Amino acid sequence: MKTSTNNSQLAYNLFCFIAIVLILYFLKPFIVPLLFAILFSIMMYPVAIYLERKWRFNRIASSLSVVLLLLIIFVGLFTFIGFQIKDVIGKSDLYSERLTELNTEILQYTEDHFGIDKKQLLSDKSLKMENLIKNNFSRISDFVTESGSFLSDIFLVPIYIFFLLLYRKFFVAFVHRAFPKKDNAYLNIILKKIYQTQQNYLSGLSVVMLIVALLNSSGLLLLGIENAFFYGFLGALLLLIPYIGIIVGSLIPALIALITKDSVWYSVGVIGVFAFVQIIEGNFITPKITGSKISVNAFSCILALVIFALLWGIAGMVLALPVTATIKIIFDQIPSLKPYGFLMGEPEKDYLRSTAYNRLAKWKRIRTQKKNTLMQ
């Protein structure tokens, strides 16, 4: 009887999981911009409070001012990116010519060291630059379409931000009414933890990105890389995508260095600069500014990145960590889900030590206890 109950519970949990995944996938156009709006609302909430308390703005005026401020910031950012991209496109002929030369040099190197006939490689249509682009045009189109859809979703975000800030107390009251059996103080603790975690993560990440952008740009300037500030800030912006973003951010200027410079060591130098900045960011900048990162272990972060990337693409990779951190907080507060919150959290040092080390530590503790007992 007990086995049958456990099987039924397992089947029910599996059904709920599949249903949630399907809902998240099919409702992406609605959920993604709403989640971005929630994150921006949390990040800008202190600004709204400052306007209301210091400048005596009413709720509508403060919410509208926050939305306008965000719009000004994003318009400025996209304008800067647009001018830089225009400059890069203006040099596309030079880049194309240099890529052709590099292709020829690589083929010559292959023929000299591996005995593969260069003419045979050149006769292979699939290896020609224009055919490589044509064969992958569908993938490029898919990426552009996805990016366009992502940008179109952004237009909904300011509207959502305005109403989330305007009706913030109303939504808190809704949470209390939605869970009438739960104590209000208990619900407030969960909401406060979610807010503080997201606020610390988002505000800290913004400062970290600014510092990393300046460090990246300084390193690229010292190497004499073109559009150093653009690639430096682009690399910092890609920190929004954990682990993967820094790799993509370093490869783009490394490729530009390979095209524009006369030595491959400039590309190596670019990767070295980004790796050095990443080490400083992970070990010194982020811990000093944010105190500590969100308490989710690296394995859970990678799983979250893969799952949310499959569900929502690029937007999912950006949202993966904030959403996972919120899920962990909720799991930690619900007794039946605490084991899953524990699994997602950072393991203590004892769990990372070898078995022999743990046995030795246990033996030392027992020995110390016996010694203390004899002394008494």
Side-chain angles (χ1 to χ4, degrees):
M1 185 71 179
K2 187 176 180 180
T3 305
S4 176
T5 304
N6 291 337
N7 290 336
S8 300
Q9 183 65 33
L10 180 62
Y12 174 76
N13 292 338
L14 183 61
F15 173 78
C16 290
F17 176 77
I18 295 173
I20 291 171
V21 170
L22 289 175
I23 290 171
L24 292 176
Y25 180 76
F26 286 109
L27 292 183
K28 173 190 172 183
F30 167 72
I31 295 175
V32 169
L34 182 59
L35 287 177
F36 274 113
I38 292 172
L39 291 177
F40 282 121
S41 299
I42 292 173
M43 185 173 68
M44 299 301 291
Y45 174 72
V47 178
I49 292 297
Y50 177 81
L51 292 175
E52 291 171 14
R53 293 178 180 176
K54 183 72 175 178
W55 297 96
R56 304 297 181 182
F57 280 31
N58 60 35
R59 188 71 61 81
I60 296 176
S62 65
S63 302
L64 188 59
S65 299
V66 166
V67 172
L68 290 175
L69 178 60
L70 280 173
L71 287 175
I72 291 171
I73 293 172
F74 277 97
V75 168
L77 180 63
F78 282 114
T79 301
F80 170 73
I81 293 174
F83 277 116
Q84 294 297 320
I85 291 176
K86 183 179 179 181
D87 184 57
V88 172
I89 293 175
K91 299 175 182 177
S92 59
D93 292 338
L94 176 64
Y95 293 161
S96 178
E97 182 180 346
R98 179 58 182 153
L99 278 173
T100 302
E101 293 176 1
L102 283 173
N103 186 40
T104 305
E105 292 174 6
I106 292 171
L107 292 176
Q108 186 63 50
Y109 180 87
T110 304
E111 182 178 17
D112 295 339
H113 291 80
F114 299 100
I116 300 175
D117 189 7
K118 181 172 65 175
K119 294 181 179 178
Q120 181 181 353
L121 290 174
L122 287 172
S123 64
D124 189 351
K125 295 181 179 180
S126 64
L127 292 175
K128 291 184 178 181
M129 284 290 178
E130 57 272 19
N131 287 322
L132 284 173
I133 296 175
K134 289 178 182 178
N135 292 337
N136 291 280
F137 183 75
S138 60
R139 296 180 183 178
I140 297 172
S141 300
D142 292 341
F143 176 77
V144 172
T145 302
E146 184 178 355
S147 301
S149 175
F150 175 68
L151 290 174
S152 65
D153 289 342
I154 290 179
F155 289 103
L156 293 172
V157 173
I159 300 173
Y160 292 157
I161 293 173
F162 174 77
F163 285 106
L164 286 169
L165 290 173
L166 183 64
Y167 294 154
R168 54 182 182 264
K169 290 185 178 179
F170 180 72
F171 290 130
V172 172
F174 162 75
V175 173
H176 290 160
R177 290 172 180 266
F179 301 96
K181 296 182 180 180
K182 299 292 183 180
D183 182 50
N184 286 344
Y186 173 78
L187 293 174
N188 287 334
I189 289 173
I190 296 177
L191 292 174
K192 187 176 181 180
K193 283 187 176 182
I194 293 173
Y195 167 76
Q196 289 178 340
T197 300
Q198 300 299 341
Q199 177 66 32
N200 292 337
Y201 173 72
L202 294 169
S203 58
L205 181 62
S206 301
V207 177
V208 168
M209 286 170 61
L210 179 60
I211 297 173
V212 169
L214 294 174
L215 292 175
N216 287 342
S217 302
S218 300
L220 294 177
L221 280 173
L222 289 174
L223 290 172
I225 306 300
E226 296 179 355
N227 305 106
F229 281 101
F230 170 63
Y231 296 120
F233 276 81
L234 179 63
L237 190 63
L238 289 173
L239 286 176
L240 289 169
I241 305 175
Y243 306 109
I244 300 172
I246 189 63
I247 298 174
V248 177
S250 62
L251 289 179
I252 295 174
L255 178 61
I256 296 297
L258 186 65
I259 294 172
T260 57
K261 298 295 182 179
D262 55 358
S263 173
V264 71
W265 289 108
Y266 283 96
S267 295
V268 176
V270 169
I271 295 175
V273 166
F274 275 76
F276 178 71
V277 172
Q278 177 65 13
I279 292 172
I280 294 177
E281 179 269 324
N283 294 281
F284 299 101
I285 300 175
T286 296
K288 289 290 183 182
I289 293 175
T290 63
S292 62
K293 293 184 178 180
I294 55 177
S295 57
V296 178
N297 62 64
F299 183 60
S300 297
C301 290
I302 292 172
L303 287 179
L305 282 173
V306 173
I307 292 171
F308 282 98
L310 291 173
L311 284 174
W312 297 334
I314 299 172
M317 298 177 77
V318 176
L319 291 168
L321 283 192
V323 172
T324 305
T326 302
I327 292 173
K328 183 187 181 305
I329 292 171
I330 296 173
F331 283 0
D332 287 339
Q333 299 300 319
I334 300 175
S336 61
L337 298 177
K338 276 188 176 180
Y340 301 102
F342 170 80
L343 183 63
M344 295 168 65
E346 291 284 358
E348 297 178 0
K349 291 182 180 179
D350 290 342
Y351 296 109
L352 303 177
R353 292 169 178 167
S354 64
T355 305
Y357 184 93
N358 288 333
R359 286 177 179 174
L360 179 61
K362 184 178 180 181
W363 177 78
K364 285 182 178 179
R365 286 197 299 269
I366 294 172
R367 185 180 177 185
T368 303
Q369 291 173 359
K370 287 182 177 180
K371 196 173 182 180
N372 293 335
T373 305
L374 289 174
M375 289 178 66
Q376 292 175 358

